[in-house]
Amino acid sequence: MLMQTYEARLDGLRKELGKRGLDGFVIPISDEHMSEYVGSYAQRLKWLTGFGGSAGSAVVLKDRAAMFTDGRYTVQVREQVDGKLYDYEDVPATSPAKWIAETAPEGATIGYDAWLHGIEWAESAEKLFAKKGLKLVPVDGNPIDAIWDDQPEPSVAEAAPHDEKLAGRSSADKRAEVADWLKREGYDATVVTALDSVAWLLNMRGKDVDNTPVALSYVLAHADGTAELFIAPEKVTPALAQHLGNAVTVRPRAQFEASLADLKGKTVAVDTNHAVAGIFHALEAGGAKVVRDGDPTIMPKAIKTPAEQQGHRDAQARDGVAVSRFLRWLGIEAPKGGVDELAAAAKLREFREDCGILRDASFDTISAAAGHAALPHYKVDEDSNIPIPPSSIYLVDSGGQYDDGTTDITRTVWIGPGEPSAEMIERNTRVLKGHIQLAMQYFPDQTTGGALDALARMHLWQNGVDYGHGTGHGVGSYLSVHEGPQRISKPGGAFPGTETPLSEGMILSNEPGYYKPGEYGIRIENLVLVVEAPIASEGKYLGFETLTFVPLDRTLVDKTLLTEAEIGWWNSYHEQVEAILGPQMEGEDRDWLKEQCAPL
């Protein structure tokens, strides 16, 4: 019998835990690869609670349950999760482990799925629980899977080779680099678990996760340059097998855990940031010597080859046409009052698909009207959808996946008729000033993202306001739209990467914002490429090449607040927009673009 209500599902889980002798269970949003976006089969938290955000977790005890989310989801979690069933807990003020330690009765046994949690979380929770007389144990099979009758199966979509011309490097060359690292460090092998790392290493792409072109798989890379790919057999086409070659042995994904015992006596490097606790447990039980070290593909993946850089420019040129055509359409239709958030997102997708080679969105479009725009990570659905009100701000954050690049762009626009308030214009102009400041900045080689973050905030700070998210994240090459290790954010924040030096070839976002709860939100986002600075300098200096070209809304700009240099940037940027997009557009679309790109 299907459990239709969230109350019934919670009750069913408690009964299943009772059968297993467990007093509690921890449910994260995760899969066996610690992915940001997970397949439908792994959406256990959403099935149990109704929460549809991309970051959060729950704890279920015998008589209490709690949802844990950070400030991005304060509103959303209360809209989607029944407060009669779950307490709302704020992270980082508390955490699942801390809450369990304070709430569970002494002697309680708490279960967790070691294939969904990181080893460092498991070890720290175990130590904390021991102090409180609690016991943390890995479960044999996830108890939610036991009660989720209509749980989807993992995707069986075929994987495919990624064109070496677009990658700019062969898989053999990449594996040789990993092998050199293994030999240099004295390791026999490394476990590559992150799906985008597997995809990058083997020049392989898939369709197993929405928004990210990856295939559910693992790789064991060896010091002799060979590798073992663990993937469902039905995903491997003759073309992929030929592409992988003799140096890559293909084995069923279901054999991965058992195969770790084959590494007995070997020294194996595993990245704690990307490998679940179950992998560490299996390696140690099988007799391998486990060394905790970074994924050797992370930095090479982040530094794009010349082919990837050019591919990204080409993808952006197509994507910019789609977004520009959408903005023109929106400016005509939304003031009439007949466009809602879902319809706008669907229309933007339609314009992207018009180019004929869109593979997927790079994330679920944030189509946010009025007060919803004040939620930086708002996700529209049938329940939250509202009409876009005339005389209001509308924010759209979206991106596309193309064979040659991954895009991510945010535009904030005024929906007429009427004029925006003086406050809206002033706030938007300060966000724009921060965006320009970062875009124009030169900095010494080895400068970190954390050192640059304040540049994007300084003009907001001067007016006593700020924004609660990072300023920039790394972006993949037809891979994850959120890619590490680089990040532009406040140092010491909740996200890693702010201490990673920026290097030539890295792609990041530049996206300062401002959000007035319940009223409106502003964000301006372009992607940028780290390049050598075109200046005479003492030592090596770097800067940013802007990659995203779509007009910015001049209705929300107070020119008197801009310096001559900032006006010069604006005009130069829009000259490039017209030069890149104009030849691809015609008729009224072309006329609109020319008008939008006129000097400020």
Side-chain angles (χ1 to χ4, degrees):
M1 178 178 176
L2 296 179
M3 299 183 190
Q4 301 295 347
T5 69
Y6 294 116
E7 185 175 10
R9 293 172 184 180
L10 180 59
D11 181 61
L13 177 58
R14 285 185 167 130
K15 289 177 179 176
E16 179 65 24
L17 296 179
K19 293 177 185 177
R20 300 180 182 215
L22 297 174
D23 302 296
F25 187 64
V26 186
I27 307 99
I29 300 174
S30 185
D31 64 6
E32 304 89 337
H33 307 271
M34 296 177 69
S35 306
E36 177 182 16
Y37 300 118
V38 301
S40 58
Y41 78 95
Q43 293 281 0
R44 297 176 179 91
L45 184 66
K46 185 176 183 179
W47 178 84
L48 180 69
T49 69
F51 178 65
S54 61
S57 56
V59 172
V60 173
L61 302 178
K62 285 184 175 180
D63 56 357
R64 287 185 70 179
M67 274 292 309
F68 300 82
T69 56
D70 61 30
R72 296 173 294 173
Y73 299 104
T74 301
V75 174
Q76 182 176 341
V77 72
R78 285 161 173 78
E79 291 178 345
Q80 295 179 330
V81 179
D82 190 343
K84 296 176 183 177
L85 302 177
Y86 296 87
D87 298 338
Y88 305 122
E89 298 291 339
D90 296 324
V91 176
T94 187
S95 69
K98 189 183 300 183
W99 186 84
I100 292 170
E102 295 170 351
T103 307
E106 185 174 354
T109 299
I110 308 299
Y112 79 104
D113 188 335
W115 286 87
L116 300 180
H117 290 270
I119 188 66
E120 292 180 342
W121 178 88
E123 290 174 345
S124 63
E126 190 173 20
K127 290 178 183 177
L128 177 61
F129 290 0
K131 295 177 183 177
K132 300 288 186 175
L134 308 175
K135 186 178 180 182
L136 181 70
V137 298
V139 295
D140 182 13
N142 195 297
I144 291 179
D145 297 351
I147 62 170
W148 187 356
D149 292 331
D150 57 346
Q151 183 179 19
E153 292 293 326
S155 165
V156 295
E158 294 177 346
H162 180 55
D163 193 335
E164 188 177 316
K165 292 179 181 178
L166 296 175
R169 293 180 67 184
S170 68
S171 174
D173 183 46
K174 295 176 180 180
R175 296 196 311 272
E177 182 178 0
V178 171
D180 288 343
W181 176 79
L182 289 169
K183 287 181 281 192
R184 192 165 59 246
E185 298 297 327
Y187 307 148
D188 296 300
T190 186
V191 185
V192 183
T193 60
L195 295 178
D196 62 332
S197 292
V198 172
W200 177 87
L201 181 64
L202 299 182
N203 283 346
M204 177 182 75
R205 299 294 187 266
K207 299 178 181 179
D208 290 347
V209 178
D210 288 345
N211 307 318
T212 309
V214 293
L216 294 171
S217 52
Y218 298 95
V219 161
L220 283 178
H222 299 280
D224 61 0
T226 64
E228 297 170 73
L229 170 64
F230 294 85
I231 187 170
E234 59 267 28
K235 295 181 174 297
V236 183
T237 65
L240 180 62
Q242 182 179 3
H243 163 76
L244 294 172
N246 296 331
V248 178
T249 303
V250 179
R251 302 174 65 178
R253 183 169 182 260
Q255 294 180 7
F256 173 68
E257 182 178 1
S259 74
L260 297 179
D262 297 340
L263 296 168
K264 181 178 181 179
K266 304 286 188 181
T267 301
V268 183
V270 189
D271 189 339
T272 59
N273 292 319
H274 299 95
V276 295
I279 291 174
F280 289 85
H281 296 166
L283 283 168
E284 290 163 357
K289 179 184 178 183
V290 181
V291 179
R292 299 183 183 190
D293 207 335
D295 178 342
T297 72
I298 295 293
M299 188 60 75
K301 173 160 53 72
I303 299 174
K304 306 299 181 270
T305 65
E308 289 173 326
Q309 294 174 29
Q310 186 55 48
H312 195 97
R313 294 185 189 99
D314 295 341
Q316 289 283 8
R318 292 191 304 273
D319 200 67
V321 170
V323 178
S324 295
R325 291 181 64 206
F326 165 75
L327 292 177
R328 175 179 175 265
W329 172 86
L330 186 76
I332 294 170
E333 298 299 327
K336 301 175 184 177
V339 179
D340 60 30
E341 294 170 330
L342 279 176
K347 191 67 177 181
L348 177 52
R349 175 72 179 237
E350 181 183 314
F351 280 119
R352 280 198 167 100
E353 288 176 341
D354 280 350
C355 76
I357 53 176
L358 179 75
R359 295 295 187 181
D360 198 355
S362 58
F363 56 98
D364 291 333
T365 295
I366 299 173
S367 176
H372 285 166
L375 305 172
H377 296 268
Y378 172 68
K379 182 179 179 181
V380 61
D381 57 26
E382 293 288 350
D383 294 329
S384 68
N385 184 37
I386 62 171
I388 300 173
S391 302
S392 70
I393 276 179
Y394 171 74
L395 183 154
V396 57
D397 186 349
S398 68
Q401 291 283 11
Y402 305 91
D403 284 342
D404 49 1
T406 299
T407 69
D408 181 3
I409 173 176
T410 307
R411 287 296 180 265
T412 304
V413 296
W414 174 252
I415 303 298
E419 299 294 330
S421 69
E423 180 190 81
M424 290 173 174
I425 294 173
E426 185 263 349
R427 293 287 195 264
N428 183 81
T429 306
R430 289 183 179 276
V431 172
L432 173 65
K433 287 170 72 71
H435 179 95
I436 294 173
Q437 185 69 53
L438 186 58
M440 293 174 58
Q441 190 63 46
Y442 300 139
F443 46 91
D445 189 23
Q446 297 301 301
T447 297
T448 66
L452 298 177
D453 181 74
L455 295 170
R457 302 178 190 269
M458 58 188 290
H459 299 288
L460 291 165
W461 286 352
Q462 287 172 348
N463 208 38
V465 293
D466 196 7
Y467 53 94
H469 56 75
T471 299
H473 57 81
V475 177
S477 181
Y478 188 38
L479 276 176
S480 175
V481 75
H482 296 143
E483 179 181 274
Q486 71 275 22
R487 184 177 178 83
I488 301 174
S489 190
K490 292 179 181 178
F495 300 98
T498 56
E499 297 308 313
T500 298
L502 301 186
S503 300
E504 280 185 82
M506 287 180 170
I507 294 176
L508 300 104
S509 63
N510 172 2
E511 52 179 311
Y514 169 75
Y515 309 92
K516 189 168 187 179
E519 296 191 30
Y520 64 89
I522 294 162
R523 186 160 65 252
I524 298 172
E525 178 187 18
N526 288 339
L527 298 189
V528 295
L529 172 69
V530 181
V531 296
E532 187 166 359
I535 56 171
S537 58
E538 296 180 0
K540 186 175 182 179
Y541 270 63
L542 303 174
F544 295 119
E545 173 194 332
T546 296
L547 296 169
T548 306
F549 291 101
V550 170
L552 298 162
D553 189 348
R554 63 183 56 219
T555 310
L556 289 164
V557 177
D558 182 350
K559 184 177 176 181
T560 67
L561 293 179
L562 299 180
T563 65
E564 286 187 18
E566 290 164 346
I567 294 172
W569 181 93
W570 174 284
N571 290 337
S572 175
Y573 175 75
H574 285 88
E575 284 179 9
Q576 291 176 278
V577 171
E578 187 173 6
I580 292 170
L581 305 188
Q584 304 177 73
M585 301 172 73
E586 56 187 25
E588 293 180 347
D589 285 341
R590 180 73 180 85
D591 294 339
W592 175 89
L593 182 73
K594 187 175 184 65
E595 180 182 328
Q596 297 300 311
C597 293
L600 191 63

